[in-house]
Amino acid sequence: MQEDWTEKYRPRSLSQVVGNESAIRAIRRWAESWAHGVPKVKALILKGEPGIGKTSSALALAYDLKWDVVEMNASDHRNAESIKKVAGIGSMTQTFTLDGEFLSSHSGRRKLIILDEADNLFGREDYGGAKAIVDTIRESSQPILLIANDYYELTRRASALKRLATSVTFRRLDPSAIVVVLRSIAENENVTVSLDTLGKIASNAGGDLRAAINDLQMIVEGRSHLDAEDTDVLGERNQEKELSRALGAMFGAKTVREAQDATLNLDKMPDELEKWIEESIPSEMKDPEDLARAFDALSRSNIYLRRARALQHYGMWSYARTMMTAGVALSRKSGRRPHVSEYRFPSFLIVMSRAKGTRASRKSISSKLAPYFHTSSRMFDESILPYLSKLLTKDRELMVKLGCETELDDGDISNLLHVDSDSSIVKAIRAEIIAIKGEDEVMRKKTPRRKSGRSLAEF
Ligand SMILES: Nc1ncnc2c1ncn2[C@@H]1O[C@H](COP(=O)(O)OP(=O)(O)OP(=O)(O)O)[C@@H](O)[C@H]1O
Ligand SMILES: [Mg+2]
């Protein structure tokens, strides 16, 4: 995969951070105040919308001043204890990283503690984390940068932060500033593109430079020239963004009503919404118990969806919606919420369920294998066949075993492996099956097998 341009072009110095001049000045002034001992204001809160340079500025500052960095973000172990531990350790003279590794430091060097996504650091019920941060700032002899999209959420949990830390606001970037960045990236990547086209990408990004760079990279995708029409795909992307926002609100909801309302205005059928939610659960939830609850809620919603279709009783959609939104979102009980900046389109599911092979050949395979998987042929075709087929292309032994245990013919095997039916692979597999089946028949005479109720475990 190609390198992510947002990382590749992340500013390495404060002087490379685009826009937000007054914020950068404020950060520099604060950093200078550390030159002669511990200043009064030990922490800054960098606040603002996503993708406008907050994290980049924090890292660039450390880079410019050659400060060591102890970085912690929302996806790390987030409970009061670990915040205290990490931030507490960071505030002492010597520093260990999150993994407990000793961070070598020259004497006198500052250690910049960066608590990224600080508004996300606390779980729904955990107020201890907020207190840990406040205590840490009070006790720290090292500079601390808190970064947050939602200043209100952060200070609501820890109002003392308002007094202890000075806030620095980052603003969305002007489209013209975004164009400048995009142009230099395009130049560096040897892509010819008109300013007009870059302008379209820039204004579409709504001041979010990260989004603009991502869009540019997506549109370029291996090409060396861009035309104005190439930006047409941004329309689709906007829809995805809208969906991302809705899913973000849904997963962050604290009440049934909030979770339901979050996806209300989306132009999506419940089946499709369900696929999106299904795809997002693993990014949103890390705690196994939360995950289990969420998927359980999703499976209930799935039952309603199917019943609604089967009985043509679409009133059941509302139950399905409640389960897939509120049921899923409120499944988060113990785990904390990681930062998810974008939700993936469940396209891989769609591509995979459009498994190669004609309908007839898939039907043949499904009808033979579905009973072994204790599922209907349709379910097998939609949900299992694509994965099984992938597995089998990589695992010849499994293919042979499956061939031995079932009635798959050469046509089925070739379709499963995506090769021609008269190819040498299919012939070789058939030969192995015959060789084993011969022996197997002998074995079978000694120990008669059950006729039905075989399970996957036998393969
Ligand atoms: N002001 C900027 N100057 C230069 N590059 C920027 C700027 N803002 C964003 N970028 C680009 O976008 C990427 C993401 O920026 P960054 O991580 O700093 O955003 P952020 O404000 O921390 O967003 P979030 O709130 O989502 O964490 C950077 O790696 C960089 O490529
Ligand atoms: Mg950030």
Side-chain angles (χ1 to χ4, degrees), residues 6 9-11 17-18 50-56 149 209-210 213:
T6 56
Y9 296 102
R10 198 191 268 283
V17 175
V18 177
I52 52 179
K54 301 181 300 297
T55 303
S56 303
N149 293 135
L209 183 50
R210 181 201 284 120
I213 297 175

Side-chain angles (χ1 to χ4, degrees), residues 104-347:
S104 68
S105 63
H106 302 295
S107 55
R109 243 200 208 189
R110 295 275 173 214
K111 287 148 205 92
L112 178 65
I113 299 165
I114 301 178
L115 288 177
D116 210 345
E117 294 160 23
D119 44 347
N120 252 320
L121 278 168
F122 332 113
R124 201 166 288 150
E125 282 103 29
D126 176 18
Y127 285 68
K131 187 173 177 304
I133 292 185
V134 170
D135 290 348
T136 303
I137 299 176
R138 286 210 172 102
E139 290 157 23
S140 178
S141 55
Q142 297 295 338
I144 299 177
L145 284 179
L146 302 176
I147 306 182
N149 293 135
D150 191 341
Y151 180 74
Y152 172 77
E153 178 69 12
L154 177 69
T155 50
R156 184 173 72 85
R157 297 297 179 84
S159 53
L161 281 180
K162 288 190 195 159
R163 277 173 280 116
L164 281 172
T166 302
S167 74
V168 174
T169 307
F170 276 70
R171 307 206 179 278
R172 291 169 190 236
L173 296 169
D174 198 66
S176 59
I178 294 185
V179 166
V180 173
V181 178
L182 296 182
R183 192 167 62 174
S184 86
I185 293 180
E187 251 173 51
N188 203 54
E189 298 287 334
N190 293 319
V191 177
T192 55
V193 49
S194 73
L195 275 184
D196 246 18
T197 309
L198 291 180
K200 272 192 188 161
I201 300 176
S203 51
N204 184 64
D208 177 340
L209 183 50
R210 181 201 284 120
I213 297 175
N214 279 336
D215 284 344
L216 177 69
Q217 184 168 18
M218 177 199 71
I219 299 171
V220 168
E221 218 186 61
R223 282 183 291 179
S224 58
H225 178 75
L226 282 194
D227 291 318
E229 307 84 75
D230 293 327
T231 58
D232 288 352
V233 293
L234 291 177
E236 280 167 36
R237 237 175 103 75
N238 286 345
Q239 274 191 18
E240 275 184 40
K241 279 183 197 156
E242 196 185 319
L243 219 134
S244 271
R245 263 196 295 277
L247 285 174
M250 185 208 100
F251 277 102
K254 295 182 176 61
T255 64
V256 172
R257 169 57 65 79
E258 250 176 69
Q260 278 177 319
D261 288 354
T263 62
L264 222 52
N265 294 328
L266 287 177
D267 188 18
K268 290 269 174 272
M269 293 291 277
D271 313 58
E272 197 190 336
L273 182 61
E274 190 199 33
K275 290 255 178 297
W276 274 95
I277 293 172
E278 181 180 357
E279 182 96 358
S280 315
I281 292 174
S283 338
E284 274 280 354
M285 297 192 189
K286 302 294 176 197
D287 180 86
E289 307 250 323
D290 288 353
L291 273 171
R293 267 191 297 271
F295 277 111
D296 190 48
L298 199 72
S299 70
R300 282 165 203 267
S301 118
N302 192 261
I303 291 171
Y304 283 122
L305 282 185
R306 291 196 174 245
R307 283 193 190 148
R309 279 210 188 285
L311 305 171
Q312 306 268 299
H313 180 17
Y314 295 105
M316 284 191 197
W317 272 357
S318 69
Y319 301 132
R321 266 188 180 277
T322 305
M323 283 317 291
M324 75 173 81
T325 56
V328 168
L330 302 182
S331 292
R332 194 195 316 273
K333 297 268 193 278
S334 41
R336 286 145 202 290
R337 190 169 179 215
H339 177 74
V340 182
S341 54
E342 214 162 355
Y343 297 88
R344 277 197 314 159
F345 186 68
S347 54

Side-chain angles (χ1 to χ4, degrees), residues 419-446:
V419 294
D420 286 341
S421 55
D422 56 356
S423 69
S424 56
I425 303 175
V426 176
K427 282 184 190 140
I429 288 174
R430 175 57 59 200
E432 280 183 56
I433 292 173
I434 291 172
I436 297 173
K437 257 197 165 167
E439 290 165 24
D440 209 34
E441 289 299 336
V442 180
M443 292 295 291
R444 227 171 257 189
K445 275 180 198 134
K446 285 186 197 154

Side-chain angles (χ1 to χ4, degrees), residues 28-45:
R28 279 211 176 98
R29 265 201 310 275
W30 173 75
E32 281 159 13
S33 74
W34 283 87
H36 313 286
V38 180
K40 225 169 110 204
V41 178
K42 293 188 273 185
L44 289 190
I45 302 176

